[in-house]
Amino acid sequence: MEIFNTKLTSVDLERQLVLPNNTKIDALPFHGPGDIMIPITIGHGGVQVDVRCSWKAGRRLALTEGWVEIARNLRLNAGDIVALKSEGHGRYKMTVRSGSA
């Protein structure tokens, strides 16, 4: 199940990824506002990275700790599209499409 997909901006790449309003929060293991670590498998290479997902009361979800490193390692650019999907059993996969394609 797709949790979200979004087109990246330069701010997303430098700080944190604020998730879109239509993010399926019920697909993430939150029990109310707070921070959780989610294991995300990146692309077809199968590299797993633990990323902090923060949910502050009255604010949108954001990928914080670990996100900028993913963006740098994958050489993401503004305009690229990332999607996060649940693979079940607490596993998540992120896919990337080039914005120039």
Side-chain angles (χ1 to χ4, degrees):
M1 166 188 18
E2 186 170 275
I3 298 170
F4 75 85
N5 72 65
T6 190
K7 189 175 197 177
L8 298 175
T9 67
S10 59
V11 173
D12 295 331
L13 299 170
E14 296 168 3
R15 299 174 64 201
Q16 63 183 5
L17 177 59
V18 176
L19 305 186
N21 287 327
N22 63 351
T23 297
K24 293 180 177 72
I25 192 168
D26 56 330
L28 295 169
F30 278 105
H31 301 287
D35 291 353
I36 58 171
M37 293 299 282
I38 54 176
I40 298 176
T41 301
I42 307 299
H44 301 293
V47 174
Q48 183 174 305
V49 178
D50 289 331
V51 178
R52 183 176 305 277
C53 188
S54 297
W55 180 21
K56 308 275 190 253
R59 292 186 166 178
R60 290 173 28 197
L61 294 172
L63 297 182
T64 57
E65 182 181 317
W67 164 249
V68 172
E69 290 78 12
I70 288 174
R72 286 185 186 139
N73 288 337
L74 293 177
R75 297 183 179 150
L76 299 177
N77 297 299
D80 289 349
I81 298 168
V82 296
L84 183 68
K85 296 180 181 179
S86 172
E87 296 193 310
H89 307 290
R91 295 184 326 226
Y92 303 90
K93 183 172 186 175
M94 182 172 282
T95 57
V96 179
R97 280 193 341 237
S98 173
S100 62

